[in-house]
Amino acid sequence: MAIDYKYILNLSGAATKIAGLAGASDYIYNVAGYRPTDITGVSSGALLGIPIAMRKWDGLRNLTQTFTLDDIFDKKPINKDNKITFRAKSRAILGKTSFGTQNNLYKTLASVISENEFKRYQEGDYPNVWIGSVNFIDGSRIIINLKEKKYSYYDFLTYTIASASIPLAVESVYHNNMILYDGGVRNHILSAWALEELKNIKETISVFARPQNYSNILDREWEDKNMIKVFERFTDISVIEISKRDEKEEQLLLSNNKKIKNKQIFIPSIIKELYDTNPEKLRKLYNAGFKTAATDLDNW
């Protein structure tokens, strides 16, 4: 009996560095011709999962290079100059659970994948899309396969937004008696999880939204000017450490299974701030992701 081999595409968290992930995936799909059977995503990677699976490249190329804070937030924690807003300060003083809220992200995601398109995804010959969030009640990882028909369109929107809900920056997502936050709290990328949980893997490509040499990622001129700056620094350091662990864990699992063909792709650091939406930087990052994937996959 023929074995149904799996070909995995793993997409890391990225915040507004999502353009780099999209650019790398563009090359992986449309030039290298890689056809994953399964896509895993955390945070920004989760947002890209079904649009990539359904090959909505025109929309992805446009949106990931032109989106603004208004496409994410209804209550912004920062302004376009990456400075803390008066409303964010007020929310902190009033004891709210976050500096801002990102309810506009539901509308943005729904504009990319409609309910009919989601049903077509579940019915059609498209890759499995696995996305991860974290339940803050017990700290457990919640990883689901959106291809399973037990998940509704509402579930798709809710779990995907939850996967991209960074603690303190935005509010949690309440769903099915869980309090869900960003999957990046536990894993920057689900590559190690996939290697442990999915059977008959033939090839994997993992795309990290950071350089492989992470020593120069942090801005050495950083100052603790306000709560947002401290929060961003805390988030940056946490993400780097979690990402380093995920990278090493993936390499360790692969070293124990030499039959799996693997490539790790690392995107150059162009955007420093957590929620930078400068259109020039987004375009540069998309192109950098595309070019990096081209270099890394040459003769792969």
Side-chain angles (χ1 to χ4, degrees), residues 131-135 138 140-144 151 159 178 180:
I131 62 173
S133 55
V134 175
N135 180 9
D138 61 8
S140 61
R141 289 188 304 188
I142 308 299
I143 299 173
I144 67 168
Y151 296 112
Y159 279 112
M178 296 182 291
L180 300 174

Side-chain angles (χ1 to χ4, degrees), residues 98-130:
S98 64
F99 293 111
T101 58
Q102 60 177 13
N103 292 315
N104 286 356
L105 190 55
Y106 286 91
K107 302 174 186 177
T108 301
L109 182 57
S111 72
V112 177
I113 300 292
S114 68
E115 185 168 5
N116 285 336
E117 286 174 317
F118 179 70
K119 290 178 180 177
R120 182 158 59 88
Y121 161 74
Q122 288 190 322
E123 296 286 348
D125 185 19
Y126 297 104
N128 296 311
V129 174
W130 305 84

Side-chain angles (χ1 to χ4, degrees), residues 212-243:
Q212 187 168 21
N213 180 4
Y214 42 79
S215 61
N216 295 322
I217 295 177
L218 297 175
D219 181 6
R220 299 305 173 91
E221 297 181 1
W222 178 83
E223 297 179 0
D224 56 343
K225 294 180 179 179
N226 53 55
M227 285 190 298
I228 288 287
K229 289 296 182 183
V230 174
F231 165 70
E232 287 183 339
R233 194 63 159 191
F234 165 74
T235 301
D236 288 341
I237 294 171
S238 299
V239 166
I240 291 171
E241 292 304 312
I242 293 170
S243 184

Side-chain angles (χ1 to χ4, degrees), residues 70-279:
D70 288 327
D71 292 312
I72 304 171
F73 302 106
D74 56 317
K75 298 176 183 177
K76 303 182 188 71
I78 58 172
N79 60 27
K80 63 180 180 180
D81 297 318
N82 288 294
K83 298 185 182 299
I84 187 171
T85 63
F86 176 77
R87 173 178 273 177
K89 295 177 184 177
S90 299
R91 287 176 63 84
I93 293 170
L94 293 172
K96 300 292 186 180
T97 59
S98 64
F99 293 111
T101 58
Q102 60 177 13
N103 292 315
N104 286 356
L105 190 55
Y106 286 91
K107 302 174 186 177
T108 301
L109 182 57
S111 72
V112 177
I113 300 292
S114 68
E115 185 168 5
N116 285 336
E117 286 174 317
F118 179 70
K119 290 178 180 177
R120 182 158 59 88
Y121 161 74
Q122 288 190 322
E123 296 286 348
D125 185 19
Y126 297 104
N128 296 311
V129 174
W130 305 84
I131 62 173
S133 55
V134 175
N135 180 9
F136 266 44
I137 293 177
D138 61 8
S140 61
R141 289 188 304 188
I142 308 299
I143 299 173
I144 67 168
N145 179 6
L146 291 169
K147 200 79 166 67
E148 295 182 20
K149 293 181 181 177
K150 67 180 180 180
Y151 296 112
S152 67
Y153 183 64
Y154 175 76
D155 289 325
F156 154 63
L157 293 176
T158 304
Y159 279 112
T160 305
I161 300 303
S163 184
S165 295
I166 299 174
L168 296 182
V170 297
E171 291 180 321
S172 63
V173 173
Y174 285 76
H175 191 57
N176 291 340
N177 298 315
M178 296 182 291
I179 301 176
L180 300 174
Y181 276 107
D182 196 305
V185 170
R186 285 197 49 170
N187 293 102
H188 187 229
I189 195 167
L190 294 178
S191 51
W193 172 88
L195 288 167
E196 291 181 314
E197 299 296 329
L198 303 182
K199 307 301 182 184
N200 300 322
I201 296 176
K202 188 76 171 179
E203 297 178 1
T204 72
I205 297 177
S206 297
V207 185
F208 292 80
R210 63 164 175 85
Q212 187 168 21
N213 180 4
Y214 42 79
S215 61
N216 295 322
I217 295 177
L218 297 175
D219 181 6
R220 299 305 173 91
E221 297 181 1
W222 178 83
E223 297 179 0
D224 56 343
K225 294 180 179 179
N226 53 55
M227 285 190 298
I228 288 287
K229 289 296 182 183
V230 174
F231 165 70
E232 287 183 339
R233 194 63 159 191
F234 165 74
T235 301
D236 288 341
I237 294 171
S238 299
V239 166
I240 291 171
E241 292 304 312
I242 293 170
S243 184
K244 284 162 53 180
R245 183 201 66 199
D246 288 342
E247 175 193 350
K248 299 302 181 186
E249 187 176 359
E250 177 182 351
Q251 291 173 343
L252 178 61
L253 289 169
L254 287 165
S255 69
N256 294 327
N257 192 337
K258 304 292 187 180
K259 295 181 180 180
I260 298 176
K261 187 178 180 182
N262 167 261
K263 176 60 69 174
Q264 291 180 328
I265 295 172
F266 298 87
I267 308 298
S269 181
I270 292 174
I271 289 178
K272 302 290 187 182
E273 290 79 10
L274 182 62
Y275 288 121
D276 192 345
T277 58
N278 180 296

